[in-house]
Amino acid sequence: GPPPRGSSAPPPRRPRVQDEYDDPIDDYDDPIDDDDLPPRRRPAGAARPPPPTRSRDRRPPTRPSSSRGPPPRRHENRMVAYSNHPRRRGPPPPPVPSTFTRGLSALRDRIPDPSSVKDTVLSAASAAQEKTSQLSSNFYREVKGLTSSELEQVMLKATRPDDAPVKTKHVERLVGVTYQISGKYDIYDAVLRKLWNKMAEKDLRTKMKSVYVLHRFSIDGGPDHQEALKQRLRALRKTKDPKRKGSRYFDSKILMGVDDTPEHQGTRAFLSRYAHYVLTRAQTFGGVFNEISLALLPPAPK
């Protein structure tokens, strides 16, 4: 029954129920042994496996003893390196250069030698100059050949020894050469030599037509060749003619000839005056007499 009132006895304690989790020893910390696991079912007809051998019952295999040599050493106290690379003996390797250093070295190796560059440039310049001069000489030779062959054919037609006047198409074809070829090339050397050969013939009609063709060259020739015509004509009049001994080019005695026929006296007189005018004009003035207009200009102020 309940305790009487006024008593000081403590009430009885209930018995403590033991909890399975209160065990200080944790079962989960123990290693699980194969014997504690439930048995596995074997299929019908399968052979029973041999019982497992515990680790404590295993023993390392013994090596056959040999009477020769000392016993093998154990490597229990040897230190194992952390790196898989073998240890090198000798001085440490040199430091690996950086990417910038390697790029700079490669760029320095690719820069050519200044002396070799200078030799290459000089050789290329000399080769180009030689090639240019060769092309210029070949071009001048081709132009001279074409001009000579064409002049030879047209000159024969223009100075034909007959009473017909010189045709305009022949003169235009001859004079047109001065507009087709640049003024850098001297074409009047061949033209004047051929005209002089025609003037030196015996027929007065051929002489007259040759002087007329020279007159047309001095009037209608290309402006780029006018100065060349004056200079070349002056030089040839001072040069000896190898085909005619004792005479020069455009000599008046060779030009007039030795024809004393009375019926040709009038033609000879006209030819003498006309040739003198044409030669003087060709070696003195250009096509439109620019020299006169320049001479009339007032002197420049000092």
Side-chain angles (χ1 to χ4, degrees), residues 244-262:
R244 300 162 185 87
K245 296 181 180 180
S247 62
R248 294 180 175 86
Y249 286 95
F250 300 97
D251 191 351
S252 59
K253 295 180 179 179
I254 303 297
L255 178 60
M256 297 304 300
V258 293
D259 189 1
D260 296 334
T261 307

Side-chain angles (χ1 to χ4, degrees), residues 136-150:
S136 300
S137 60
N138 293 338
F139 178 73
Y140 177 71
R141 190 179 297 107
E142 293 293 333
V143 169
K144 184 178 179 181
L146 294 174
T147 305
S148 300
S149 60
E150 184 178 1

Side-chain angles (χ1 to χ4, degrees), residues 6-7 26 58 60 64 73 79 81 125 142 168-169 185 190 196 206 223 237 245 269 296:
S7 61
D26 193 0
R58 295 179 183 176
R73 297 180 181 179
M79 297 180 63
E142 293 293 333
T168 305
K169 63 178 183 179
Y185 304 99
W196 168 242
T206 301
R237 297 196 70 177
K245 296 181 180 180
L296 296 178

Side-chain angles (χ1 to χ4, degrees), residues 6-259:
S7 61
S8 61
R13 296 181 178 180
R14 295 182 181 180
R16 186 174 179 270
V17 180
Q18 185 177 0
D19 193 359
E20 58 180 353
Y21 297 102
D22 295 341
D23 190 3
I25 301 175
D26 193 0
D27 296 340
Y28 293 99
D29 296 336
D30 295 340
I32 300 175
D33 197 357
D34 294 342
D35 297 337
D36 300 333
L37 298 176
R40 298 180 181 181
R41 296 182 180 180
R42 299 192 306 271
R48 186 174 182 178
T53 305
R54 295 187 178 182
S55 60
R56 60 187 176 181
D57 297 339
R58 295 179 183 176
R59 295 181 179 179
T62 58
R63 298 179 60 182
S65 61
S66 175
S67 59
R68 298 180 181 180
R73 297 180 181 179
R74 296 184 179 182
H75 304 285
E76 296 178 357
N77 298 330
R78 178 175 295 183
M79 297 180 63
V80 180
Y82 287 97
S83 177
N84 296 330
H85 299 284
R87 298 182 62 184
R88 297 180 180 179
R89 297 180 181 180
V96 180
S98 62
T99 305
F100 176 76
T101 306
R102 292 198 301 270
L104 188 61
S105 301
L107 182 62
R108 188 184 300 117
D109 295 339
R110 292 179 179 272
I111 295 177
D113 188 13
S115 59
S116 62
V117 173
K118 180 180 179 181
D119 296 340
T120 304
V121 170
L122 291 178
S123 60
S126 60
Q129 185 178 3
E130 182 180 358
K131 189 67 175 179
T132 304
S133 60
Q134 183 179 1
L135 290 175
S136 300
S137 60
N138 293 338
F139 178 73
Y140 177 71
R141 190 179 297 107
E142 293 293 333
V143 169
K144 184 178 179 181
L146 294 174
T147 305
S148 300
S149 60
E150 184 178 1
L151 283 176
E152 191 68 31
Q153 297 176 4
V154 181
M155 197 78 69
L156 290 173
K157 297 178 181 179
T159 60
R160 187 174 299 167
D162 54 13
D163 296 335
V166 181
K167 294 184 179 180
T168 305
K169 63 178 183 179
H170 296 156
V171 177
E172 292 179 352
R173 192 172 181 183
L174 291 172
V175 177
V177 178
T178 59
Y179 293 91
Q180 298 173 1
I181 301 176
S182 175
K184 299 179 181 179
Y185 304 99
D186 185 11
I187 63 173
Y188 278 113
D189 183 67
V191 171
L192 294 177
R193 290 176 186 273
K194 292 183 182 301
L195 285 175
W196 168 242
N197 291 331
K198 296 300 179 183
M199 293 178 188
E201 293 185 3
K202 296 182 178 181
D203 197 299
L204 292 176
R205 294 170 295 183
T206 301
K207 294 176 182 293
M208 190 73 68
K209 292 181 180 181
S210 301
V211 174
Y212 172 73
V213 172
L214 177 60
H215 191 190
R216 292 295 302 270
F217 269 113
S218 63
I219 296 174
D220 302 327
D224 297 339
H225 295 275
Q226 290 180 358
E227 189 65 27
L229 174 60
K230 295 189 295 183
Q231 299 295 335
R232 180 58 59 183
L233 183 56
R234 293 173 185 173
L236 286 177
R237 297 196 70 177
K238 299 177 182 179
T239 305
K240 293 184 178 181
D241 187 1
K243 296 182 179 180
R244 300 162 185 87
K245 296 181 180 180
S247 62
R248 294 180 175 86
Y249 286 95
F250 300 97
D251 191 351
S252 59
K253 295 180 179 179
I254 303 297
L255 178 60
M256 297 304 300
V258 293
D259 189 1

